[in-house]
Amino acid sequence: PPAPYDHNIVLVSESARFHADGRGAWYGTPYDAQKALLAGQIRDAASARVVRYGRDPVFYRPVPARAVCDYVLFVGRPHPAKGIDLVLGLAETWRNQRFVLAWRADLPDHRIAEVEYRERMLRLPNVEFVELPVVGHHEKKRDLMASARALIHPNVYIDACPVVPIEAQLCGTPVVAWNRGGLRECSRPD
C-alpha cells in the first residue's frame, strides 16, 4: 500500500476527517468493503484542514412559490448505498404522493443497479424517472430541486459532504435526510 500522507491534507468535512482514521464512510454498512480512498492513508487526521465545498447561490436559487410542484425528489447515483430502496419502499407505501428519481448511470455498477431500480419503478405509477443529461446536467438537476416539494437524501453510508442537499437548500427546497455525517455540518435547524 502507499505510504500514509502526513502534510498538506485538505478534507471536505469534519466527517471526512473522522473517517480518515481507517474505518471509512462505509464502516458499519453492508457496503463495508468499499473503503474511502483516503481511509487509513492519513498519518494524523487531526492535522488535516477542513475546507468545505462551495456552491453558487446565484445558480442554485429558489423559484416562485407557484412554480413548486407536489413531488418528492431523489437525486443521486443509482447505487444501493444511496438509499434508493428506502425511497422506493416509501413510494410503495405512500401511493398518493408523486416521487421523482433523477440520475445518470455512468459507471458499470450504476448501470447494473439502474436496471433493477427502473424495473421496480415501472410497477409504481406514482414514481417518475428522469435521466440527467450530459450537457445541461447541473441545470436540469437545479430545476428539479427548485421545483420539488422536498428532497429526500437517505444515504446508507456516512456521506462526508453531501452536495445535493446543499444545492437543494440553496434552491429553498426542504431536505429530509439522516442526521449524520457531513449533513450535520452543511445544514442548520430552523
Side-chain angles (χ1 to χ4, degrees):
Y5 302 100
D6 59 3
H7 65 283
N8 298 330
I9 306 296
V10 176
L11 300 170
V12 295
S13 67
E14 292 296 334
S15 182
R17 180 196 315 263
F18 179 76
H19 291 291
D21 67 1
R23 291 179 294 170
W26 304 94
Y27 180 78
T29 73
Y31 314 103
D32 207 25
Q34 300 180 34
K35 301 292 184 189
L37 284 177
L38 288 178
Q41 297 296 313
I42 298 175
R43 204 173 299 209
D44 180 15
S47 68
R49 181 175 172 144
V50 173
V51 177
R52 290 179 176 78
Y53 286 141
R55 283 297 183 256
D56 181 354
V58 174
F59 182 79
Y60 294 99
R61 78 286 185 253
V63 296
R66 67 183 177 282
V68 174
C69 302
D70 190 23
Y71 63 84
V72 174
L73 177 67
F74 169 86
V75 176
R77 295 183 310 273
H79 188 280
K82 288 292 190 176
I84 297 170
D85 290 309
L86 296 171
V87 176
L88 293 176
L90 183 59
E92 289 168 349
T93 305
W94 196 5
R95 295 280 183 152
N96 62 342
Q97 176 59 55
R98 181 176 165 219
F99 289 82
V100 175
L101 285 77
W103 62 65
R104 177 163 196 79
D106 289 324
L107 300 175
D109 63 324
H110 297 164
R111 287 192 291 274
I112 291 168
E114 179 184 47
V115 170
E116 176 189 331
Y117 293 135
R118 297 281 302 270
E119 286 176 6
R120 193 168 165 194
M121 284 186 249
L122 288 173
R123 296 188 298 271
L124 295 168
N126 59 327
V127 176
E128 175 186 340
F129 173 70
V130 174
E131 183 169 10
L132 297 174
V134 174
V135 176
H137 172 94
H138 294 287
E139 291 81 357
K140 181 66 175 176
K141 183 173 68 162
R142 176 203 57 205
D143 295 347
L144 285 167
M145 287 189 290
S147 299
R149 178 76 57 208
L151 175 96
I152 188 165
H153 188 77
N155 285 356
V156 174
Y157 70 105
I158 307 299
D159 199 341
C161 187
V163 174
V164 168
I166 295 169
E167 295 166 348
Q169 289 175 83
L170 286 170
C171 291
T173 303
V175 175
V176 178
W178 305 115
N179 184 23
R180 64 180 185 201
L183 193 65
R184 283 187 247 176
E185 300 172 49
C186 68
S187 61
R188 59 182 169 74
D190 290 327

